[in-house]
Amino acid sequence: MIIVENVHKRYQTPSGPGPWILQGVSLTIPPKLNVGLIGHNGAGKSTLLRMIGGVDEPNRGNIERHCRVSWPMGYGGGLQGSLTGRQNTKFVCRIHGHNDDIPEKIQFVQDFAEIGKAFERPVKTYSSGMKSRLQFALSMAFDFDVYISDEVTAAGDAAFRQKAADAFKRIADHASIIMVSHGEGTLKQFCTAGVWLHQGKALWFDNIDDALYAYKNSYQL
């Protein structure tokens, strides 16, 4: 279970604090439930996803994680740019206490990411798509209760997108997904419930179709 309680978020700009992106967001995400985050560009979808994944913090409010949550797959941060893909994988293995099976984890990540010789180059030389592939492979190499994905199914070519979709299907029996995607078909394929982020607030829908309807109908308001 993940509890988001009265979360507010804004970022500092050169001229001072920016506008509030999220204002008093509260929701509870039950275990074993796939949830899609929906909203207009700038509504705070990726921001909320990063905070749920622990790579960003709210200005006010609190997020409780009563489960093992992955880092955001597809998010550009979380990788050390001066280290190679191989070195980043070793580092993550050690953080998660997998010192005894590092070679197996490295082989899995290298095979899954399919970035070729770039695996031996610094991550700062990667394209955004290559970073997404590496992060996705890293997440799939470890067992989490909740996997969080930021447009990862849009990364790479059609073959890799299908590979990502197949991986999500495989974890469905033991874990859940919190997903941001601009693809309505992707959200319907993987998600049961939806959260519509609108004007800094979050509205929960038990049915993803209802969340998508509310989102699309908002264009007419």
Side-chain angles (χ1 to χ4, degrees):
M1 179 181 293
I2 298 172
I3 301 171
V4 179
E5 185 176 9
N6 195 32
V7 162
H8 293 67
K9 184 64 179 180
R10 65 181 175 185
Y11 292 98
Q12 192 72 19
T13 71
S15 57
W20 290 106
I21 301 171
L22 301 174
Q23 300 182 71
V25 168
S26 295
L27 56 95
T28 298
I29 301 176
K32 296 291 183 71
L33 184 67
N34 292 348
V35 180
L37 303 186
I38 300 165
H40 303 291
N41 289 335
K45 303 182 297 296
S46 295
T47 297
L48 180 58
L49 203 67
R50 288 196 298 270
M51 290 192 290
I52 290 174
V55 297
D56 203 347
E57 295 291 334
N59 298 101
R60 299 205 303 262
N62 185 52
I63 297 177
E64 298 179 16
R65 306 169 193 86
H66 300 279
C67 53
R68 295 168 298 168
V69 182
S70 81
W71 47 85
M73 296 180 283
Y75 169 60
L79 297 170
Q80 174 52 252
S82 61
L83 300 181
T84 66
R86 180 182 297 274
Q87 290 168 333
N88 268 282
T89 304
K90 285 183 180 178
F91 180 70
V92 172
C93 285
R94 290 178 178 134
I95 287 177
H96 287 272
H98 284 263
N99 294 297
D100 296 334
D101 57 352
I102 288 179
E104 290 83 358
K105 296 293 185 186
I106 289 176
Q107 191 63 54
F108 175 89
V109 171
Q110 187 173 14
D111 292 344
F112 198 105
E114 295 181 347
I115 56 175
K117 294 180 180 179
F119 194 64
E120 312 298 344
R121 298 203 300 265
V123 167
K124 63 185 177 183
T125 67
Y126 289 11
S127 66
S128 59
M130 291 166 66
K131 289 179 183 178
S132 293
R133 284 173 175 246
L134 180 60
Q135 286 180 320
F136 189 90
L138 277 168
S139 291
M140 290 295 111
F142 300 95
D143 291 327
F144 295 102
D145 300 311
V146 179
Y147 291 82
I148 52 180
S149 167
D150 192 348
E151 292 287 357
V152 75
T153 52
D157 55 22
F160 188 82
R161 291 197 297 271
Q162 185 59 52
K163 191 174 190 177
D166 291 342
F168 280 150
K169 292 174 184 175
R170 286 196 299 272
I171 66 175
D173 63 338
H174 66 275
S176 58
I177 301 166
I178 303 174
M179 172 182 288
V180 168
S181 175
H182 285 96
E184 181 175 327
T186 299
L187 291 167
K188 287 185 175 183
Q189 180 181 4
F190 294 110
C191 301
T192 301
V195 174
W196 177 36
L197 294 175
H198 182 61
Q199 297 181 347
K201 306 296 183 182
L203 292 87
W204 176 273
F205 294 84
D206 291 329
N207 189 302
I208 187 67
D209 289 323
D210 293 337
L212 287 166
Y213 178 82
Y215 163 62
K216 289 185 285 187
N217 195 53
S218 69
Y219 280 107
Q220 304 173 15
L221 299 178

